[in-house]
Amino acid sequence: PVQMAAAYAAVANGGILTAPHLVDHVSGGRPVRPERRRILTASIAAQVMDMLENVVLEGTGTLAAVPGYTIAGKTGTAAKPDADGGYSTSNYVASFIGVIPASRPRFVILVSVDEPRGAIWGGTVAAPAFKRIADFILQYLEVPPDDPASLATSG
């Protein structure tokens, strides 16, 4: 999950990967700068962001949409390995990972549901959880909408 989040953050950051790191606390000392390096051209990163936005606009991630904000994201549904070296036909991992707001990225959120019951699809199981988390964070941190026109059509 950390590698996935880092990869999506790199796409959102124009192709620049920032080494994942944890911050325990911030004090008066000099901040440590994590390693950064280019892994994609800015052009390729922009193309991927456009594709990921379409996943939420008209693809499998529509249930992740947050009115007023553009989101770039991807659903995932994976069969888990079984004991015989193959893949299970009954145990899955459903996921949704997204960048919000897509036009000026602030957050990468990954929702992963291990062995969902009933529905198994990332767009059905994980995308709505992403929406609730994103909506809360955006409201709590007072992030202004980047797509106000969608507020009028969200009924």
Side-chain angles (χ1 to χ4, degrees), residues 65-138:
V66 176
Y69 297 89
T70 57
I71 298 171
K74 183 69 182 89
T75 61
T77 306
K80 294 180 77 171
D82 65 19
D84 300 321
Y87 290 94
S88 174
T89 58
S90 60
N91 293 318
Y92 298 88
V93 175
S95 64
F96 184 86
I97 186 165
V99 175
I100 190 163
S103 67
R104 297 189 66 187
R106 297 268 312 263
F107 309 102
V108 173
I109 301 168
L110 169 62
V111 175
S112 181
V113 181
D114 188 30
E115 298 187 11
R117 296 293 169 225
I120 62 166
W121 311 110
T124 304
V125 175
F130 170 93
K131 175 183 177 152
R132 290 187 66 190
I133 294 165
D135 190 46
F136 176 82
I137 289 170
L138 294 164

